[in-house]
Amino acid sequence: MRPLHTQMARREPQQAAPIIALQDVQFQYPGAEGTALRDIYLTIQPGEFIAVAGTNGSGKSTLCKCLNGLIPNYYVGDLIGSIEVAGLTAADETVSSLSRKVAYVFQDFENQLVRPTVYDEACFAPLNYGFADYKERGLRALSMLGIEQLKEQWIWQLSGGQKHLTALAGALSLDPDIIIVDEPVAQLDPFHARLIYDKLRILNEQYGKTIIVIEHHTEFIADYCHRVVLMDSGTIRWVKPVQEALSAVDELAALHILPPQVTLAVRDSEAEGIHSQTAGHLYPITIDEAADYFSQVIGQSSIIENVPIVSEPIDNNSYPKKSLITFTDVSYAYKTITRDMHPVIRDMSISFYEGDRIALVGNNGAGKSTLLKLISGIRRPSAGRLEVCGHITKQSPPELLSDFVSYIYQNPEEMFIEDSIRKDIEYFLKARNIPDYRSFVDGILERLRLTGLQDRDGRLLSGGQQRRATLAIGLAMRPAVMLLDEPTASLDASSRREMTEMLAQLHQQVKTTVIATHDMQLVAEWANRVIVMHNGRVALDTDQRSLFSHTAILEKAGLLAPQIALLSQHLGFEPPCLSVAEFTARLSRTPLFNHNSHSDKEDNTVGSH
């Protein structure tokens, strides 16, 4: 079998004096029982593109905040050990002095934007440092990222991807040697996620910047990074070249880190005996590598025929269903600073039915979150008629609609108002004077594995725990309709799998579930109906299997199919596969009559997603 060569051709930085060197670093937050970091030894060379991976709570963000002085100057605690950054001893520096060497773009990047326009934001940092050429620095940063055309735009008018690039430009204007980006793709649609990484690659390869990303999505690590730093319980488990790191499938699985789907496809097909093992167990990690690999496998074994798959495409006219939500010529617009009306939802007419598991997808700014807020009554239509569970929303206060609709926010911490999650879950029931609610709440806590956490403040929980708690708050409202905005954003593989399982269980209590998401794997695994939005309109209403055949619409809406669907399309499989298990079965010519029948097997294997 021809050896893999794509990874060998990747640009590797020249060896030089380290730009980052950490020796025996430990850190403990005030009042914490254990250390957040311990026994940290790490060196990074100038010009490297590094990924820091690990589960939620493994210490990734804490490690990176040590590099720009946020720890211990802002986040106080006990820090020991040696930290050298860009020729400076971190212990002798301030956040201000280190920020000229190390730029940091936070996961919640919108909170970094403090000026009204893109140009003002790009100039803000060098102006505050007293640089006489602050205007030129701001313009240069915008030019390096290719967003000069946005300079006069108001920040609040930008899409999510444009805001992320603006935050990056603001940090870049100080001409730092090192750029750290926390979860670059967590809040972005697939198109803008890849755009951000393309810009980081340009900064790395053309401008010599050292790039460090904190990342859960291993497909981006595979495509862009040189090495992987694996964090586990506050320490560095290992540092490896990217292909070796992502080929450690079983080890990553044990730490709830999901390798690229194409890598799992090779591993699982080997396990099924479809072909011989790869030399040295270095698997393909990108779509191109996997396509080349499987093309040889198919050619050697003459596996060219497609196995028919009986799916269940959505057909709203095939049998009578009860409509719970009906949009009739609905539009929504808001007034801009110039008093013009900016349209968000345009002349929408669509119905959602009992039994629908709807994935609402589209690029940033397409109108997904606004659509959810219209259904919940938080926003009211500018025109048209919207009926939800028999109530016209223009004539119904949100308090009334909340008896039928639960809306789970994208940022889970916004759902917590009490000092314990049990009180948060009970809040709606107590406000409605529901009798004997405590046993009901006990059942929800047990069902979502929150009993042991019920007395904890929700704002202090991990990301996955917060998502479970917000789902419990929503379920306690006993809704007919559940709305969730980006329920899997920023979750590691374990927490994401838990969320997918919980979403699958909602049909036992909820009549209709609608999620707005950029997670195309979640769409493939969970939804029975997919609505693609673009520019405030419905561009496509279909089932999850047919979705990925509409390549023109996906491209227009800034969406990318999951890796395994793209790989199967590249190999000529029609329809495309929706999971690694299905792909492996197609290779071995095992008929799959219904993808959903394999969900139990998939949920318990690292190869499922």
Side-chain angles (χ1 to χ4, degrees), residues 226-270:
H226 301 143
R227 290 196 296 161
V228 179
V229 177
L230 181 63
M231 299 289 297
D232 179 19
S233 302
T235 192
I236 294 177
R237 189 181 181 103
W238 46 247
V239 182
K240 294 182 179 180
V242 63
Q243 189 153 15
E244 182 181 347
L246 297 183
S247 294
V249 174
D250 293 333
E251 186 174 6
L252 294 176
L255 296 176
H256 306 296
I257 298 170
L258 195 65
Q261 283 188 315
V262 295
T263 306
L264 294 172
V266 175
R267 195 282 306 266
D268 289 358
S269 60
E270 285 186 358

